[in-house]
Amino acid sequence: MKRERVLVLLCVAGLMTAGVVSAQDDDDVMEKLEKIAVFEQKVMVPMRDGVRLATDVIRPADAEAPVPTIFMRTPYNFNLYRDGEPQTRGLRMALTAVEHGYAMVVQNERGRYFSEGEWDILGPPKTDGYDALSWIVDQPWSNGKVGTIGCSSSAEWQMGLAALDHPAHAAMIPQGFGAGIGRVGEFYEQGNWYRGGAEQMLFFSWLYSVQNTQRPTFSPDISREDIIRLSKYFDLAPEYPEVDWEEAFWHLPVEDLMRSVDGPKGIFADAAPNATGGRMIQRTPDDPAWYKGGLYHDDEPFGVPSFWWMSWYDVSISPNLALFNYVRENAQDPEVAANQYALIAPVGHCGYRRSKEETVVGDRSMGDATLEYEELTYDWFDYWLKGEDNGILERLPRVRYFLMGANEWKSSSSWPPEDTEMVTYYIDSDKGANSLYGDGRLSTATPAAAGSDSFVYDPQNPVLSYGGNVCCTGNAITAGSFDQRRMEARQDVLVYSTDPLEEGVEVSGPVEVTLYVSSDAKDTDFTVKLVDVDSEGRAWNLDETIFRARYREGFDQQVFMEQGEIYEIKLSPLSTSNYFDTGHRIRIEVSSSNFPRFTRNLNTGGKNYDETEGVVANNTIHHSADHPSRIVLPIVKGEN
């Protein structure tokens, strides 16, 4: 399957994961729509600067009064025709919306497919989204209320729009939305580009098939009729050569990675036309360019009741939860603050609808993880867009989360859950924690004697990613939970475990990690992975994080290490909800690489992105009363 087609289906799947898909076979979707809906293709909606965005409108044909609208914007292809043949799969969500009494409006971002203008990743959504809502409410079929929905790229623009508080924006359901978050609290991920100052490589492969700024365009005075006719001949979908990303990610320097796979020019490493901040690969975590585009930052207002959908094995669960809490605590309108709800499923990126009676994420079974996604979606929108008194706010838990291990849905009035106690576990060892076969341990007791564990980090031989909380890396990484023992057999992975638990414990919330480190390199990374070791010895990964040492004093500055000095590193927190059963062990892995989940630090203290040669780093984790390397786990003590 051509890569662009794959991404189109992923976009459509992102909509379908919302649970808003009827069970009709694709063959009869168009026939049913023709009976109950008016379908307006390629309406060219003008923005404030005159640029027109291609928009499809599917609305009830027999509505006796104006109807509310479900609106989605996307960079992906939703053209009705592919190779001259109509495609109905993308219309299934529209059919369901019309059956529920809604108009469905789908719009391409500027610079994508039949939309005019130049594309820049999340560059102009705040104005374009606002203008699109204004256009919708001016239509005679609109009741003046709009709800936004979508997963991944169809969700990430919604926070920027919510900051503008358009009067028609009545509610939203953002799903898998992390790439729309810039800075929130201690997280400076800037749209999932970073984690702890290290680049996440998912965007390197994602941009390969999206940043095609060099593309055919039509005359600005072309008629809508001509656009519809031409869309039957070709849908402007580029045919990208397949890339073996498992191999391609190794290329150095990383700033040339896109060129090495003959990828399109664009914002990854080129000065794209009208770009908000130039080359992304050159930006630092607090670069001013991040604050000029469409990312939502925690110094902005927020004005929309929201039902946030998240996943334990998505790429940015921690900043997603941080944003949910931020809006609850800081929205200026008390009604908005009081109407933020969260749902956290045990799946990968946009995998909600794949939850079933036997949900397996990676290799780990989650049991029955089904949920009434469609009912929740329309109950939410019916309340806010139609004014129906359906009791959704009374029935909907503030936070509904899936407790892995116990394999059950739970509810809470907050995140982390009420009755959570933060419990500290200290790192310790006697002979050494290197590999699964060392004697590294986690204990609530402070180490009795000063000790340390050292390992060699060679950027030419990094610890390879195996599963995890990731998406969009092609064939390089499969998201989910896998037995990590083959990674733990390496000498450059430090393994620390508790004794087998005498009683099971629920760990739900943010996991804080502090390491005392030293190195003979000017700069290096430190990684941590949280693991549940079952009674058979299988080591199931839960979440992972990383931190680039040069940013330990703040992401607005780079301070390099000196040999012989010990430094405190506070890693970006992890997040999970997992029941560690009786006989299980809580484990963390510590190393300096998790590749290609994250870029390799070449350890030179240079820019990293423009370097081809690295140096070996000899890294040490210290543990003592004076240097208490530790994790702090959120232990849920009571019923919730």
Side-chain angles (χ1 to χ4, degrees), residues 15-74:
L15 299 179
M16 294 167 67
T17 57
V20 292
V21 185
S22 300
Q24 292 88 353
D25 294 331
D26 290 342
D27 293 340
D28 64 359
V29 169
M30 182 62 77
E31 180 181 349
K32 292 190 175 184
L33 271 175
E34 289 175 346
K35 292 180 180 179
I36 66 171
V38 176
F39 188 3
E40 300 174 276
Q41 294 182 65
K42 299 296 184 291
V43 180
M44 302 304 289
V45 176
M47 301 293 100
R48 64 186 63 186
D49 60 358
V51 169
R52 300 181 303 167
L53 304 188
T55 307
D56 283 0
V57 179
I58 306 98
R59 54 187 175 84
D62 57 355
E64 298 179 355
V67 297
T69 301
I70 296 175
F71 178 47
M72 184 197 71
R73 295 178 71 239
T74 177

Side-chain angles (χ1 to χ4, degrees), residues 141-154:
W141 44 261
S142 170
N143 77 344
K145 292 186 180 295
V146 181
T148 54
I149 194 171
C151 196
S152 192
S153 292
S154 302

Side-chain angles (χ1 to χ4, degrees), residues 47 304 371:
M47 301 293 100
V304 183
L371 201 64

